[in-house]
Amino acid sequence: MHTDFDPDPDPSSGSGSGSGSGDSVDAMLAQWSRWLPELDVSSSAVIGRLLRAARLTEERFADQLRRRDGRAVANVGDFDVLQTLRRAEPPYALTPGQLRRSLLVSSAGLSGRLNRLERAGWISRTTSPDDRRCSLVSLTEQGRKDFDGLIESQLALERELLSVLEPEERAAVAAALRKLLLSLESAP
C-alpha cells in the first residue's frame, strides 16, 4: 500500500486535510472510495496510519538528532546501532551478526553505519577474544557517556509524541501492536 498522495485533490469536495475533519489516511480512503468504491481498503485504515506515523516519528527523531548540541548522530539508523550496543551487557559489545539480526539490516547497510560511527568515535571494532575469526563492535567510553546524555532527550520526545493519548489508550495501542508484531515476527 502506498501512502504518499495528494491529501486533498479537490478542496471543494469537503474531504481531505483541507476540511479539518480527518487525517491524511482518511483523505486517502475517501479517494479510494470515490474512484474505486468496490475496493476493500479497510486494512489501510490501520496499515496506512502505522506507516505514516512511523515515517513522521522517524522524521521528528532525525530532526532532534541533527539539532543536538554536542556530538551529533548522523541519522536514526546510526542511533539504533548505538542504542542496541548500550542495551547489551558491559562491555557493550556485540558481533556484527548480532547487530544485523537485532536491527533487521543488511550487511552493507550495517557496514556503512559502523564506518560512520567508528570515524565519529562512537564505537570501536576489535577481534573477538573468544573467536579470532569474529569481530566485536563496542561503544567507546566517550560514546557510552555521550549516548547516555542523548537517550534521555529521545525518550522525552517519545513521551511528547504520545502525550495526545491517555494512559489507557497508550496501553491499548501497545497491546494491539504487540499482537501484530508477534504475528509478523513469527511468520516464515
Side-chain angles (χ1 to χ4, degrees):
M1 192 211 56
H2 189 64
T3 60
D4 292 334
F5 58 93
D6 178 1
D8 196 5
D10 180 6
S12 65
S13 70
S15 68
S17 62
S19 68
S21 64
D23 63 18
S24 58
V25 174
D26 288 328
M28 176 190 63
L29 296 172
Q31 289 173 328
W32 281 121
S33 176
R34 181 175 176 193
W35 299 113
L36 286 170
E38 69 281 1
L39 193 63
D40 178 9
V41 295
S42 58
S43 59
S44 294
V46 174
I47 300 297
R49 286 185 175 93
L50 280 173
L51 295 174
R52 192 140 171 87
R55 268 191 223 120
L56 292 170
T57 300
E58 189 166 324
E59 285 176 15
R60 291 281 301 272
F61 285 167
D63 184 52
Q64 179 159 304
L65 290 170
R66 283 189 298 270
R67 289 184 293 120
R68 176 164 164 70
D69 292 336
R71 193 157 56 133
V73 176
N75 57 52
V76 175
D78 290 359
F79 179 81
D80 286 344
V81 170
L82 296 174
Q83 71 173 327
T84 301
L85 289 169
R86 184 60 177 97
R87 290 191 315 262
E89 61 186 62
Y92 314 109
L94 296 170
T95 67
Q98 290 170 317
L99 283 168
R100 271 194 315 277
R101 285 186 295 279
S102 177
L103 298 169
L104 300 175
V105 66
S106 69
S107 294
L110 181 61
S111 181
R113 292 177 187 182
L114 295 179
N115 289 339
R116 267 190 309 280
L117 291 168
E118 188 173 37
R119 279 192 307 269
W122 287 95
I123 64 163
S124 63
R125 290 188 265 194
T126 59
T127 302
S128 170
D130 301 328
D131 182 351
R132 299 203 44 83
R133 298 169 296 169
C134 190
S135 65
L136 283 178
V137 178
S138 308
L139 282 175
T140 63
E141 184 61 28
Q142 188 61 51
R144 187 192 58 75
K145 288 177 185 174
D146 289 347
F147 182 80
D148 287 355
L150 176 63
I151 188 64
E152 186 50 47
S153 64
Q154 289 301 110
L155 292 172
L157 177 56
E158 287 182 8
R159 290 187 295 271
E160 176 190 327
L161 294 174
L162 293 177
S163 68
V164 300
L165 300 176
E166 296 298 325
E168 59 275 2
E169 290 174 313
R170 286 193 301 270
V173 169
L177 289 174
R178 180 182 301 108
K179 184 176 182 179
L180 176 62
L181 190 55
L182 283 169
S183 171
L184 291 169
E185 289 178 340
S186 66

